[in-house]
Amino acid sequence: MFDPSKGMVIDLAVVGGCGPAGLAVVQQVSGTGLSVCSIDLSPKLMWPNNYGVWVDEFDAMDLLDCLDTSWSRAIVYVDDSLKKALDRPYGRYGKPYSLDYQVAYEGTSLVARPGVAMEDIQERMAARLRPLGIRIKGTEEGERCIIPMGGPLLAIPQRVVGIGVTAEMVQASTDYMVARTLAAAPTAANSIIRYLGSESKVSAKDLSAKEWKDLRPIERRRQGEFFCFGMDILLKLDLRSTRQACDAFFVLEPHYWHGFLSSRLFLPRLIPSGLSLCPCLKHS
């Protein structure tokens, strides 16, 4: 724990830094000998949230050992009669459960403005389980997670450098973020190491500007604006159009929907993939 009475000079302070992305930056920067302080309300608590992730993304980062569970494929239920089997392994990144018979059941709202109340989500979860003959007798542990999506675009450069939610790394059309932020951690860490470790004097203003340029190049900013545009469209769809859009999305070539969900597609490829969904939205 940091002791201010010792008068130690800190090279880098990571605020709210005990999440996946923050810890990754702290680990990489501190490993070079720079002094790092991670500021968090409860730094010793285990990271509570569970995330669904695509296995190939974690495999590319050599992080498969971080997955608690994985499945050989994912299934998307468009409606009561239509489902799509996705030939892409899916995994869960988070804390493991202690007993084999425990079940983790998740209810969520893809996007809403204002957000859906937690009580409403819980009621929907119970209603969806009843037709399956499942009654909830008790809950060992509940998880509540709110992921900010969209909102005002970042004003950069600025003195505070962000990563994760604070750097607009949440995919605003789907809320995918973990693999994207973990993949960005080395970029953020390497930039910090390079500029702080340089013998030339770099002002804090110039350092943060260089860091933002590495983290949010123009291609990423345009990509983020496109995702926010997609989120605004989703907010306007009724149930029928939402199902049509979901059906059409997973008919796309895997390269497109893989890249879209993983934030690997940039504007030249995002536009044609988005236009291909337009016919299904003509009634919305």
Side-chain angles (χ1 to χ4, degrees):
M1 301 293 287
F2 177 70
D3 185 355
S5 65
K6 294 182 178 180
M8 182 179 178
V9 176
I10 299 297
D11 295 310
L12 174 68
V14 181
V15 181
C18 287
L23 285 177
V25 172
V26 168
Q27 185 269 330
Q28 293 184 51
V29 175
S30 62
T32 65
L34 292 171
S35 59
V36 182
C37 179
S38 179
I39 303 171
D40 195 279
L41 287 175
S42 304
K44 293 185 178 181
L45 284 182
M46 186 175 185
W47 182 250
N49 295 316
N50 296 286
Y51 295 95
V53 299
W54 300 106
V55 172
D56 58 272
E57 293 181 324
F58 268 52
D59 189 18
M61 295 185 288
D62 197 24
L63 292 176
L64 288 181
D65 57 337
C66 295
L67 298 183
D68 161 43
T69 306
S70 62
W71 297 268
S72 60
R73 63 176 183 169
I75 298 177
V76 174
Y77 290 86
V78 179
D79 55 33
D80 292 338
S81 59
L82 178 60
K83 65 180 181 180
K84 294 180 177 291
L86 308 180
D87 188 22
R88 191 181 187 190
Y90 201 66
R92 185 177 65 205
Y93 168 79
K95 56 184 175 184
Y97 292 88
S98 58
L99 300 176
D100 292 338
Y101 59 81
Q102 286 181 315
V103 174
Y105 184 66
E106 178 182 332
T108 186
S109 165
L110 175 60
V111 60
R113 185 186 291 145
V116 180
M118 291 294 182
E119 293 73 17
D120 292 339
I121 290 178
Q122 288 177 321
E123 289 179 8
R124 294 179 187 180
M125 292 168 65
R128 289 175 177 140
L129 288 173
R130 280 195 290 270
L132 301 175
I134 300 174
R135 298 292 183 269
I136 300 175
K137 294 183 177 180
T139 303
E140 278 199 16
E141 184 179 352
E143 174 187 302
R144 298 189 173 201
C145 184
I146 299 175
I147 301 176
M149 297 168 64
L153 296 174
L154 278 170
I156 53 176
Q158 57 173 287
R159 283 287 299 272
V160 178
V161 178
I163 189 169
V165 172
T166 56
E168 290 181 346
M169 291 184 182
V170 179
Q171 217 273 33
S173 298
T174 65
D175 86 16
Y176 275 101
M177 63 173 290
V178 176
R180 167 83 179 88
T181 57
L182 287 176
T187 300
N190 290 335
S191 295
I192 292 169
I193 294 165
R194 183 166 67 251
Y195 300 131
L196 286 182
S198 173
E199 293 183 0
S200 59
K201 297 294 184 180
V202 180
S203 68
K205 180 180 178 180
D206 290 341
L207 189 151
S208 59
K210 293 175 182 293
E211 181 78 5
W212 275 118
K213 186 176 180 181
D214 291 341
L215 274 177
R216 300 286 292 167
I218 187 63
E219 296 83 3
R220 283 290 183 192
R221 281 180 276 163
R222 288 171 177 167
Q223 181 194 60
E225 291 173 6
F226 185 90
F227 289 154
C228 287
F229 171 69
M231 180 193 69
D232 287 335
I233 291 178
L234 287 173
L235 285 167
K236 297 174 183 177
L237 299 184
D238 56 20
L239 179 60
R240 177 171 175 266
S241 296
T242 300
R243 287 173 168 170
Q244 289 176 331
C246 181
D247 184 24
F249 179 76
F250 288 108
V251 171
L252 294 172
E253 290 291 327
H255 167 76
Y256 285 103
W257 72 260
H258 284 206
F260 184 89
L261 295 180
S262 301
S263 297
R264 291 197 297 253
L265 290 186
F266 293 96
L267 213 57
R269 290 186 177 271
L270 282 171
I271 290 177
S273 64
L275 290 175
S276 67
L277 300 178
C278 288
C280 76
L281 306 177
K282 63 183 178 181
H283 300 298
S284 62

